[in-house]
Amino acid sequence: MAALGSPAGRCLAPVLHRAAYAAMGLDDWSHEAVACDEATLPGLLGSFGTYWAGATLAVPLPRAVLPLLDEVSELAMDVGGADTVVVRHGRSVGEHTGAHGIMSAIHQAGLTAPGSAVVLGGGAAACSALAALREVGVREPVVVVRERDHALEVEAAAGRLGVSVELRHVDELGRLLRGVPVVVSTLPAGAADALAPTVARSGAAVLDAVCSAWPTRLAKAAGFAGSTVVDGLTMRLHRTVRQIELLTGWAGVGELPFAAMRAAALDELARREARSAEPAGSGGKLM
């Protein structure tokens, strides 16, 4: 299997998948990073042989892959992206697993029926958040953005998912958080720093999609305030388990490989952080 993205080296999926396969005894399964952008995606998909079980895809490929597939699941179509391609009997099937990761994180935070939620950000990850929140009964989430133009993607996804999104400007966040039990931040590392005090004062549980540079300022502030915090790596782990179920047909993977996957991911993230901290011209390389 392959993890498609550009640049390929940033992808964490191969680390997670390989750790899971080892823990599950699937010694003949592999997952390798393959450099791929929107221009090279059609040719790469066409080159998949019978030995391919499928691939995982990084943004923006999940949207670009939709018209190239033989079949697309209803959830992937509604969210607007297939982050996993499964090859079944010679046919390519697009699936979406990001929402599963967020929904599982919501349950892990003890919020089986939160009633309401605020989503920070309006991109592809926010679309996944809407699908996850719908599954736990939140049909009218508030989506907070800095520019309305940044929320066109999430507005379109909301319509397909059958949820009613209330779009609000970030300056209104304090008022919007009153009584809200959960905040899902889909913002990249650092983008939510200025919002951390406001979110922390609300007392809401925080799901922060950031995997690296952890803990974020948002996570620290919420944790100091006594709120439940779920990190982005946990969401990635749940998402990966769903991908493995789809790709291998191994039903009920459950939490079996979680410890091995988390340990491997933390080691890899630590190596990347150490590499980024190397002085220029030090000559050290991490392969």
Side-chain angles (χ1 to χ4, degrees):
M1 288 184 290
L4 309 183
S6 180
R10 292 182 183 176
C11 187
L12 196 60
V15 175
L16 297 175
H17 279 259
R18 288 197 294 261
Y21 299 152
M24 296 162 63
L26 300 178
D27 298 330
D28 55 344
W29 284 75
S30 65
H31 202 96
E32 304 299 330
V34 177
C36 177
D37 57 20
E38 292 175 89
T40 57
L41 180 60
L44 186 56
L45 284 180
S47 70
F48 279 4
T50 56
Y51 56 91
W52 285 92
T56 56
L57 292 80
V59 174
L61 300 182
R63 175 176 289 275
V65 79
L66 293 180
L68 306 176
L69 300 172
D70 296 315
E71 182 181 341
V72 179
S73 72
E74 183 176 356
L75 179 59
M77 193 67 75
D78 288 347
V79 172
D83 55 32
T84 308
V85 174
V86 183
V87 179
R88 298 174 181 153
H89 309 295
R91 290 174 56 83
S92 57
V93 181
E95 302 278 1
H96 179 82
T97 62
H100 176 83
I102 296 172
M103 182 178 66
S104 298
I106 293 172
H107 288 152
Q108 184 168 322
L111 299 164
T112 54
S116 61
V118 167
V119 177
L120 305 180
C127 297
S128 297
L130 294 189
L133 290 167
R134 182 188 67 172
E135 293 306 305
V136 295
V138 180
R139 310 290 299 198
E140 298 181 357
V142 176
V143 175
V144 176
V145 293
R146 293 192 182 278
E147 301 291 341
R148 188 179 182 88
D149 288 348
H150 295 171
L152 297 178
E153 188 175 355
V154 79
E155 278 189 294
R160 294 189 296 266
L161 288 163
V163 299
S164 178
V165 167
E166 183 180 354
L167 282 179
R168 293 294 180 182
H169 191 269
V170 67
D171 290 344
E172 303 177 72
L173 184 60
R175 175 183 64 81
L176 297 169
L177 286 173
R178 294 172 189 160
V180 171
V182 60
V183 173
V184 182
S185 175
T186 66
L187 298 172
D193 286 359
L195 309 178
T198 302
V199 174
R201 285 193 295 270
S202 73
V206 172
L207 278 62
D208 190 338
V210 174
C211 287
S212 58
W214 189 265
T216 62
R217 186 178 296 274
L218 176 62
K220 289 178 183 178
F224 288 144
S227 298
T228 299
V229 178
V230 182
D231 65 305
L233 179 56
T234 295
M235 289 183 255
R236 283 293 301 270
L237 295 179
H238 286 295
R239 169 183 161 186
T240 302
V241 166
R242 180 59 183 147
Q243 289 175 336
I244 292 170
E245 289 176 339
L246 290 167
L247 292 164
T248 67
W250 186 306
V253 172
E255 298 186 5
L256 289 178
F258 257 55
M261 290 161 61
R262 182 178 288 277
L266 291 175
D267 285 346
E268 175 62 20
L269 290 171
R271 280 194 293 269
R272 293 181 185 183
E273 184 177 353
R275 182 180 180 182
S276 67
E278 288 181 354
S282 66
K285 292 185 178 180
L286 177 64
M287 303 298 290

